[in-house]
Structure formats: C-alpha cells, structure tokens
Amino acid sequence: MVDGRRIRQSAAVLSTGLALLFSTLAFAQTGSETIPDRGYRWFEVEVLVFRYTEPEATDPEQFSLSVNPIPVEGSRDLYTPRLTPDISPLYYALPQCEDTRALIRPIRQKFLTADVLRAEIQLPPEELLGCRRLPDLPIVSEFYDDINETIAVAPSRLPVVISGDKRGTREEMLAAEAPFLVPEDHFALSPLRQQLQRRRDAEPILHTAWRQPVFARTSGRKHRLIGGRNFTDEFDYFGFPKPSNKADVIAQLESGFQHHAQGGFSNDEQVGPVANVKKLLAAIERNQFNFAADSTLEAQVPRRPERMPRGLPEHVWEFDGLLHIYLVGNFLHIDTDFNLRDIIQLDPAALSVSEQVSDFLEPNAHNLEFLRAYPFKQVRRVISHETHYFDHPNYGVVVQIRRTDLSNRR
C-alpha cells in the first residue's frame, strides 16, 4: 500500500518543478521582448546613382553656372563616419614623440637637415613605428589651430558600393537609435548596376542601402548621399579653383600676354608684332573678327556669393545632396535635392581691346577650369516595393523602398 503522504510530497515537488519550468520559459519569452517597441515604421531604402558619360546636348541656359548650394546641416550622414573614422583615440594612445621627432610639421620642414632626418630613419623599429607629435599644451593652442594630425584624410574617390554589417532583424530595428546600412546581399538593384557597368554611356557612382524609420515630413531627418570623386583639394564648394590652381592660371595668362606683347614664338619661328597685326587685319577683312563694345560683353564666370550660406559640406564630392523620405497619411513620398559636379572650361569674355586681341591670337590662353553643378530637385509620391527612376540629362537616380516586419501602422 502506497503511503498517501509520499504521494502528496511527490505531487508537491512535481508541481514546484513545473512552476519553475513554466516561469523560466515565460522569462525567456519575455526576455526577447524587453526591448520597448516605440511604434516606429521601418523601411529598407536602396539607392543607385549613375552618370551619363556621353550626356545628350542640352540647352546651355537650362542649368545656370552658379552652384545651387545644398546645406547639409542637420541631415543624417551614414557614410562620412564610416569612410573617415575618428582616429583621435588611437592617436592619443601613442607615446609622445621625443627629440626632433616632437617638432611639428612646419618647424620640421624649415629647420631639420637631411642628416637629422636620416638619423630618425635609423631609429629602432619600436621607436620608428609612431608617436604623438602634438603635445597637449593649452597655453599655445592658437599655434596649432591650422595643424591637426588627428583628422582622418577623406579618400580621393568613394567606392561605388557602400554597405553595412547589420542584418536588419526585428531586434536590431527595435534596439537601433538611428538608421543603419545593410549588407550587400540585401541589394535588389545589383543586376541593374552590373548592366550599367557594361555600358559605355553610363557609369555608376553610388550604390547603397539602409534601414530607417519613416515619419511625417516635419518629423524625420533628411539623409545625405555622397559619391564619386573628391574635388576638395582642387575646387571650393562654389566651383572656383583653389588658390594654388588660381596662381597657375594667372601665371599662364601673364605669360600669354607677355608672349603677344613681345612678339613670342610659334612653331619655332619668331612671330613679331607686325605679323600679328597683319593676321588681325586679315581676319577683320574676312569678317572673322570684330571688336565688341564693352556693354555687349558679359563674363561667363559666375560671381561668388557675397555671404557664404550656413551648413555647407566640408568636402566637395562629385555627387552630393539630400534624400528625404516621409509619410503623408499612409503614402510614402520622396524629396530629392542633388548636385552632380563636372569640370568644364570657361572662356571669360574679354572686356578690353587688348584682351580681345589676345584671345583671338591665342584662344586657349584665357580659359579657366570651373567645377559646375547640375542640380536636380523633385518631390514624388511613391509606392513601396516598386522601382522609381529619377531622370536628369546628366545622371539618373534609382530608388526602391521596401517594407520590413515593422512597416505597418503601429
């Protein structure tokens, strides 16, 4: 006969074990839901930008030479921190330089001899690997204003494909504090990019994809897109050559003017002022050259803005601009504001008689390089999972917005 007390004890132990088991399962189940659901509607956005290498001829007055500035202050940039990371923690982890190696770059260039530099190269490997050159001396901080060895150098050209490492899972979206790039295997427009790469008349500039929550127009932040070549060392934001380039152009112009004033040389033969005058008179007789009045001449070079707008980008990229995706009710909208850059040759109109003559005798002496911008701005209501193409005579932008597990109204 079974003892009733033992049965009751066994039943109590079994019920306690089951209670612990179910509580553990319940904790494990709620543990995955500990991330608060803030109700954001997440979408995956893919963008492919390409330029036409042989654009169709367009009306020259369709796009002004003056650059339309696009301030990027307050926008979200997913690329610059990834391509030019902050290296200051690594830099300040290095030991401080000693002896002549502690001197900053301007002083080293002016005062260090070849023997001193040769001696530094012969240092032991552990001392030659690297050290921190800038001491932390606030008392002379003004001396280092233009010298910062902790700034990462931006690449001369960005890679076409820019991707991330997050898979875009539900947990990642719930925990994310900001939009994030997704891996390349998420890309749906890769076949189109490969097709463009095989063509002769088109060249991909940027192919990227990310996940972001989408809000109303006034609540969400715009995304900055960049791609292609970095023109920062050659041109300023408004397309004018940097000072070093300007100096070269001015020197070429001065030498050209001196060339004509002094007779100059052409095809290894001396051509005197008399020959130039004869050439000019012959051209006037054949109606190939006419002097223009000053009032009819307008320089092609655009004017610099009197005041620099706030929030301009630090670097001048071949493709740069803002993409804003927002919701109006339950409808997705895309707002684009882009600039594509291209180097052109300007021929400023000559305002004086001597300049007109000089330009006729040597047509290319007066040409200037200018980095013009082709703007594109458009707002369009779109449908998710459809491919949307934004066309421009010089470039194209393909956008696809895809739903995720967290895209529905919440």
Side-chain angles (χ1 to χ4, degrees), residues 216-223 322-326 333-336:
R217 182 172 189 174
T218 57
S219 301
R221 291 174 62 180
K222 299 179 180 181
H223 280 252
L322 300 175
L323 177 71
H324 189 24
I325 298 175
Y326 58 90
H333 287 70
I334 297 178
D335 186 353
T336 62

Side-chain angles (χ1 to χ4, degrees), residues 182-212:
V182 296
E184 189 176 353
D185 57 17
H186 281 225
F187 293 10
L189 300 176
S190 294
L192 176 58
R193 185 190 78 239
Q194 295 165 3
Q195 180 181 353
L196 291 171
Q197 289 172 335
R198 291 191 293 267
R199 292 172 52 174
R200 295 183 178 180
D201 61 343
E203 176 188 5
I205 300 177
L206 172 67
H207 191 187
T208 185
W210 68 90
R211 288 201 171 185
Q212 68 165 92

